[in-house]
Amino acid sequence: MSHRGTSRPSAAAMGAIGCDCVLLCPFHHQIVIHRWGWTLVVNPDGTTSAWNRNKTKVLHSHGPPPRAG
């Protein structure tokens, strides 16, 4: 996961260009990603997958909630 800067694009801009980033709290960003070496990816279906440095632990999120309507 790369650092994309500190400003956040508007919702309209994200919808127009897509967004492959996630908002993490300081613990998960600094400790889990940088210190512990985990990798986090956003999958095409909106779910996330994460694995530790030696890929002995792999985690998958559930899908996004259904759209209202």
Side-chain angles (χ1 to χ4, degrees):
M1 190 166 167
S2 62
H3 291 89
R4 304 247 174 174
T6 56
S7 63
R8 295 193 317 185
S10 69
M14 288 191 316
I17 61 171
C19 182
D20 64 348
C21 53
V22 295
L23 182 62
L24 298 174
C25 71
F27 172 80
H28 284 96
H29 179 207
Q30 294 297 326
I31 304 300
V32 176
I33 301 297
H34 292 294
R35 190 176 298 173
W36 295 349
W38 280 69
T39 298
L40 178 67
V41 297
V42 179
N43 301 309
D45 64 358
T47 61
T48 56
S49 297
W51 52 87
N52 63 349
R53 188 172 281 138
N54 57 7
K55 295 188 177 182
T56 58
K57 296 179 184 174
V58 179
L59 306 173
H60 302 283
S61 70
H62 56 80
R67 298 182 96 181

